[in-house]
Amino acid sequence: MFAILEARFLAPDIKLLRVRAPRIARKQQAGQFVIVRLHDRGERIPLTIEASDPEAGTISLVVQGVGKTTKLMNRLEVGDAIRDVVGPLGKPSEVRRYGTVVVIGGGVGAAIAYPTAKAMKEAGNHVVSVVGARTAGLVILEEEMRLVSDETHVLTDDGTYGEKGFVTAKLQQWIASGRPIDLVLAIGPVPMMRAVADLTRPHGIKTIVSLNSIMVDGTGMCGGCRVAVGKKNRFACVDGPEFDAHEVDFALLAQRNAMYRAAERRALEEWERHPEKDLEDVRRTCRLAEVHPQVAALAEDGVP
Amino acid sequence: MNPLKPKERMKIPRQAMPEQHAHERTANFGEVNLGLDAHLARQEALRCLQCAKPICVDTCPVGVKVKEFLDLILAGDYLAAAAKVREDNVLPAITGRVCPQEEQCEGGCVIGKRTAPVAIGYLERFVADYERSVGKFGLPQRAPSTGKRVAVVGSGPAGLTVAGDLVQRGHEATVFEALHEVGGVLVYGIPEFRLPKEIVGQEVENLRRMGVRFETDIVVGRTVTVDELLGEEGYDAVFIATGAGLPQFLDVPGENLNGVYSANEFLTRVNLMRAYRFPEYDEPVYDCRGRDVAVVGGGNTALDGIRTALRLGARNAHLIYRRSETEMPARAEEVKHAREEGVQFMTLTNPVAFLEADEPGWLGAVRCIRMELGEPDDSGRPRPIPVQGSEFVLPLSVAIIAVGTSANPLVQSTTPDLKTRKRGYIEADPETLRTSKRGVFAGGDIVTGGATVILAMGAGRRAARSIDAYLRTGAWQEVVTEPSR
């Protein structure tokens, strides 16, 4: 049981949840993620850790409501709890002094990029961050990014905030102007990461992406998150989630991420008809564990 | 207790296990075997010759006192019979269901040489189920507390066994599990129709009552390291039983198409995550209804996978195995059940490529090649050799790859002074289960590679003896173990 201590929207449909998880908070490094399960009938989904506070024993998760579980998460408030949070999983970002590091966060990817930008700054890099979003209301973590970056550029696709245009255009501009770039870290939607990789490849600029493949256990046991990297299969959960962007087969990633589209749509539709039921289940499980820990343990083991 | 003369005993036929009919059971996830009733159990127990030197005990990895518990069945004292089993086996309701008895206790049965062996597995299950039905468990007593604490990494059969044995010896045992549910392969791997979750839950609850503590959602190697367990967390010893977790693939073209699963993923979605009840449960699995499904492999996991697909509504269920049926490592009973349920065995066949359907990205067929058997290879089994020009294409929507697993490196890679062998398995003494690191023991699949539930339990038993000796003497170098029973 992992209590929610803070819950606030960063943008419509994007919520920050600060959760009590002392063991994870103590261990978390930039680039790592957790797997959460909301209630006893819940699925396991990976979420990136935006920040952690080892002294307070908390981690912060940023969740964009896309499918059933993430939309349900966006309904959770302070006082609620998450059934299971496990981590920190995956390999931490390779943080060292590269020189100039461009950190690109597209959409909710900014939440994933933020801890690495921070770590890169602390390691003595000149950090240039680029926060991209579709429209003004969806720009998140701009202030946080500014605090850990030497330069911060905000772009929106529709020009309603910051500069108008795609993050790749900005990157293209710098490359064309001959600006020295030692590392690019691009995190966001698959098409964005792919576009960044295609842009930097001919110039030989080392580029890292963080992959969001479908996972179940997150410990290497199921192989569902396998991605082709340099023609070799790797597991995003234990070998990643960060990989050399120039080696990643993005088409395959997109294909595999679409595997459960029909089921995801159905789960969302059914949930939207009765959203309260799952919310009640989250709360019932929490109450049970609080009041009768032994009974909750029994329920967990499947004893009726 | 047995009123019959040996000759009369040998005339009684082996009692058949009542089962759900094949046509019914493929439409549900209920248990296939229904269990013996008291009458059948008595008839079966009467067949035991009560050998002076029972081989069945020697061939059991945990040394269950077979003839004594069968005698208690004949006396009608089923609770005492169950308690007798529990002296050596903390998970009787589980092993009674999933052990390959034909290779172990029943393989050593003397009348098995003449007719059919005594159905020791059925009887073990009978007494364990009886206990559960009356709600009274003959749980072993705990020795006075020693104040020593042991961390057990992994809650599969080896971890549960070592924890159960350690608390009996007066030590404190805490089991760390990476998943949200306790049981390891017993809950994520073995399907409901062979081992109901409720049975595993009950055995775990029994261990809780004996004093074992469980912590879920902890990935040792990530959430906490072995060194931290021995250091700041204050444990006196660590037992690593993380299993052979990583799935192996065939490494043939098309294996990343949507619809190709590792057996681990397919089974975890359906078993642990209850995807067969989607959308009541959130985790999905690809809809198998009316589709052609094949599993690749010949072990118990392969049969579990394909029989699960049948229950999810598969139209055709194929088992593709590169050797012949004789070499299949699966339990005899599973092969029989699978055949009754309509699984089509394509032995001496191997996939060479998975082919894309008209819909881009999705599996549409598999190209296979026929095999023939040659000289024995390193495993002692005849080497399968492709027959040139024998390729053919089989339409397919879902493929389940069940060709084995390898060692999960999470613990090893974060414990620098822990020695590993080839392919990342942990090096441990087979008798004392000590690793290269003081205070750290390891057993089960993470040492041996993929094996059976009962072999992992046997390792857990030996480990408990060895850990107990270490905790009492503090001696690490010399080998201190009690003579095995």
Side-chain angles (χ1 to χ4, degrees):
Chain A
M1 205 59 46
F2 297 79
I4 296 171
L5 305 180
E6 184 185 347
R8 60 185 162 91
F9 280 101
L10 302 178
D13 285 336
I14 302 178
K15 197 166 191 175
L16 181 140
L17 297 171
R18 198 159 57 83
V19 178
R20 196 175 149 65
R23 279 185 191 268
I24 303 172
R26 209 157 49 223
K27 270 292 160 66
Q28 183 259 346
Q29 290 174 265
Q32 291 186 301
F33 64 95
V34 290
I35 287 204
V36 304
R37 190 179 73 128
L38 297 188
H39 57 56
D40 288 339
R41 297 177 294 104
E43 63 181 333
R44 295 171 64 97
I45 60 160
L47 290 173
T48 295
I49 309 166
E50 184 256 355
S52 61
D53 183 342
E55 272 165 33
T58 62
I59 58 170
S60 298
L61 307 173
V62 174
V63 190
Q64 181 170 32
V66 177
K68 173 185 169 176
T69 299
T70 47
K71 280 181 187 280
L72 178 59
M73 263 188 111
N74 277 356
R75 296 262 201 132
L76 299 183
E77 296 298 342
V78 173
D80 289 333
I82 300 173
R83 184 83 187 78
D84 299 285
V85 180
V86 60
L89 300 170
K91 287 189 177 158
S93 307
E94 226 176 273
V95 177
R96 57 188 160 89
R97 191 165 177 167
Y98 294 91
T100 298
V101 177
V102 174
V103 179
I104 303 173
V108 77
I112 307 172
Y114 166 68
T116 305
K118 185 167 172 239
M120 288 294 183
K121 177 71 193 161
E122 283 161 6
N125 291 289
H126 183 83
V127 175
V128 179
S129 55
V130 183
V131 178
R134 219 171 55 238
T135 187
L138 296 178
V139 174
I140 59 166
L141 301 174
E142 183 193 345
E143 276 319 301
E144 285 82 350
M145 277 296 207
R146 280 192 194 284
L147 286 174
V148 300
S149 310
D150 296 279
E151 300 169 34
T152 303
H153 303 263
V154 180
L155 288 90
T156 50
D157 298 357
D158 60 4
T160 45
Y161 185 71
E163 291 175 57
K164 179 174 161 48
F166 294 122
V167 292
T168 39
K170 193 83 206 160
L171 187 60
Q172 169 107 59
Q173 223 178 351
W174 290 332
I175 292 172
S177 72
R179 181 173 186 175
I181 298 173
D182 299 293
L183 178 77
V184 173
L185 180 83
I187 304 168
V190 176
M192 183 210 96
M193 294 193 288
R194 181 186 206 161
V196 170
D198 289 343
L199 192 60
T200 57
R201 187 181 292 112
H203 303 282
I205 301 169
K206 187 177 160 81
T207 304
I208 300 291
V209 285
S210 178
L211 305 187
N212 54 337
S213 18
I214 294 176
M215 296 182 188
V216 185
D217 62 291
T219 64
M221 193 262 280
C222 85
C225 66
R226 60 189 186 275
V227 288
V229 181
K231 309 273 179 225
K232 258 186 75 182
N233 261 359
R234 310 290 298 275
F235 293 172
C237 68
V238 287
D239 301 321
E242 293 184 2
F243 293 103
D244 180 344
H246 299 153
E247 301 279 317
V248 171
D249 183 342
F250 288 103
L252 179 67
L253 176 67
Q255 168 214 307
R256 289 188 59 80
N257 279 357
M259 171 127 184
Y260 296 102
R261 276 292 141 73
E264 285 160 3
R265 219 170 9 242
R266 184 167 165 213
L268 183 59
E269 281 165 12
E270 302 222 356
W271 175 68
E272 280 174 338
R273 272 201 290 279
H274 307 283
E276 291 307 316
K277 187 179 177 322
D278 283 277
L279 215 48
E280 276 164 28
D281 272 0
V282 173
R283 290 177 179 148
R284 192 173 42 96
T285 316
C286 302
R287 271 200 306 278
L288 191 65
E290 216 168 274
V291 184
H292 302 292
Q294 279 166 328
V295 182
L298 283 185
E300 188 179 317
D301 297 336
V303 173
Chain B
M1 274 300 157
N2 198 324
L4 303 179
K5 296 199 177 75
K7 264 195 173 162
E8 295 172 313
R9 298 180 201 180
M10 294 200 329
K11 278 189 189 144
I12 306 172
R14 178 176 160 119
Q15 305 300 301
M17 170 59 80
E19 308 175 337
Q20 251 201 98
H21 193 275
H23 293 301
E24 285 167 25
R25 71 190 188 224
T26 49
N28 66 55
F29 274 82
E31 216 178 345
V32 172
N33 285 349
L34 302 173
L36 303 184
D37 61 17
H39 170 72
L40 291 175
R42 181 180 168 78
Q43 284 299 106
E44 190 58 36
L46 278 170
R47 299 180 64 229
C48 176
L49 295 176
Q50 298 280 317
C51 303
K53 283 188 180 156
I55 302 166
C56 52
V57 181
D58 298 336
T59 50
C60 171
V62 296
V64 167
K65 300 178 196 82
V66 175
K67 69 178 198 180
E68 290 165 84
F69 103 78
L70 262 56
D71 218 28
L72 287 163
I73 293 177
L74 290 178
D77 193 347
Y78 307 136
L79 288 179
K84 184 57 73 182
V85 177
R86 279 188 191 279
E87 288 178 9
D88 302 287
N89 175 355
V90 293
L91 310 170
I94 295 171
T95 51
R97 287 172 164 81
V98 304
C99 262
Q101 286 96 2
E102 66 266 25
E103 295 168 16
Q104 295 167 351
C105 53
E106 297 180 19
C109 178
V110 172
I111 51 168
K113 312 273 183 282
R114 303 280 295 273
T115 58
V118 174
I120 300 165
Y122 296 174
L123 293 172
E124 182 179 54
R125 171 184 166 154
F126 168 73
V127 296
D129 286 359
Y130 181 81
E131 269 190 323
R132 200 160 45 88
S133 70
V134 297
K136 287 182 187 155
F137 298 91
L139 303 183
Q141 293 296 309
R142 285 186 78 162
S145 170
T146 61
K148 301 283 186 188
R149 302 170 68 223
V150 181
V152 177
V153 185
S155 69
L160 294 180
T161 303
V162 82
D165 280 5
L166 284 169
V167 294
Q168 286 178 54
R169 290 168 189 265
H171 310 299
E172 191 184 289
T174 304
V175 181
F176 295 95
E177 167 56 49
L179 294 170
H180 55 263
E181 199 169 317
V182 172
V185 73
L186 304 172
V187 298
Y188 77 72
I190 303 178
E192 188 74 13
F193 56 83
R194 207 149 74 77
L195 179 63
K197 301 289 165 297
E198 191 192 333
I199 304 281
V200 181
Q202 183 62 63
E203 295 286 22
V204 169
E205 171 56 15
N206 288 340
L207 288 169
R208 258 190 236 281
R209 284 189 209 167
M210 285 164 62
V212 176
R213 296 163 41 159
F214 292 94
E215 283 203 48
T216 52
D217 293 331
I218 304 259
V219 183
V220 173
R222 290 273 190 243
T223 318
V224 63
T225 63
V226 169
D227 284 319
E228 286 164 344
L229 289 172
L230 287 169
E232 60 216 61
E233 303 243 356
Y235 287 94
D236 300 292
V238 174
F239 180 64
I240 302 169
T242 46
L246 294 191
Q248 282 175 2
F249 287 91
L250 296 166
D251 209 12
V252 299
E255 211 166 16
N256 288 338
L257 288 168
N258 293 355
V260 183
Y261 283 100
S262 76
N264 270 4
E265 183 183 2
F266 188 75
L267 290 170
T268 299
R269 284 180 178 274
V270 180
N271 297 331
L272 176 75
M273 304 308 295
R274 323 291 201 266
Y276 66 99
R277 290 166 71 178
F278 178 87
E280 182 196 352
Y281 281 73
D282 290 338
E283 195 84 46
V285 67
Y286 186 56
D287 192 349
C288 292
R289 282 175 298 177
R291 296 195 157 106
D292 299 332
V293 181
V295 72
V296 183
N300 286 323
T301 307
L303 289 167
D304 285 345
I306 197 64
R307 294 173 70 202
T308 295
L310 269 177
R311 283 159 175 78
L312 292 171
R315 177 176 60 185
N316 283 303
H318 304 280
L319 180 138
I320 301 173
Y321 179 55
R322 62 191 184 142
R323 293 189 172 90
S324 78
E325 198 173 319
T326 322
E327 288 81 29
M328 275 179 63
R331 290 174 82 215
E333 187 181 47
E334 308 312 325
V335 174
K336 169 180 162 284
H337 282 160
R339 184 160 276 131
E340 289 167 2
E341 290 167 9
V343 173
Q344 299 160 50
F345 285 66
M346 301 178 70
T347 52
L348 291 169
T349 304
N350 209 27
V352 291
F354 292 99
L355 310 175
E356 198 164 5
D358 292 338
E359 195 184 346
W362 288 86
L363 176 67
V366 60
R367 184 184 300 127
C368 296
I369 190 162
R370 300 277 184 211
M371 310 291 277
E372 59 189 7
L373 295 180
E375 293 300 305
D377 61 13
D378 296 346
S379 74
R381 297 174 297 177
R383 182 190 305 275
I385 304 163
V387 178
Q388 293 308 317
S390 67
E391 294 193 6
F392 66 98
V393 170
L394 179 75
L396 209 59
S397 298
V398 178
I400 304 163
I401 313 297
V403 294
T405 53
S406 55
N408 190 319
L410 275 183
V411 171
Q412 296 88 306
S413 62
T414 51
T415 316
D417 39 355
L418 193 63
K419 268 195 199 152
T420 53
R421 293 183 292 113
K422 219 171 52 183
R423 303 171 76 181
Y425 292 108
I426 296 176
E427 194 176 295
D429 181 277
E431 203 43 49
T432 66
L433 296 126
R434 289 178 187 184
T435 66
S436 59
K437 187 176 169 68
R438 188 184 177 91
V440 179
F441 302 74
D445 284 2
I446 192 60
V447 171
T448 59
T452 60
V453 168
I454 191 70
L455 287 174
M457 290 176 62
R461 283 225 92 182
R462 292 197 302 282
R465 273 202 294 271
S466 175
I467 293 168
D468 180 62
Y470 167 67
L471 293 178
R472 286 177 194 280
T473 63
W476 185 254
Q477 288 313 320
E478 64 272 50
V479 175
V480 192
T481 44
E482 294 166 17
S484 53
R485 278 182 276 202

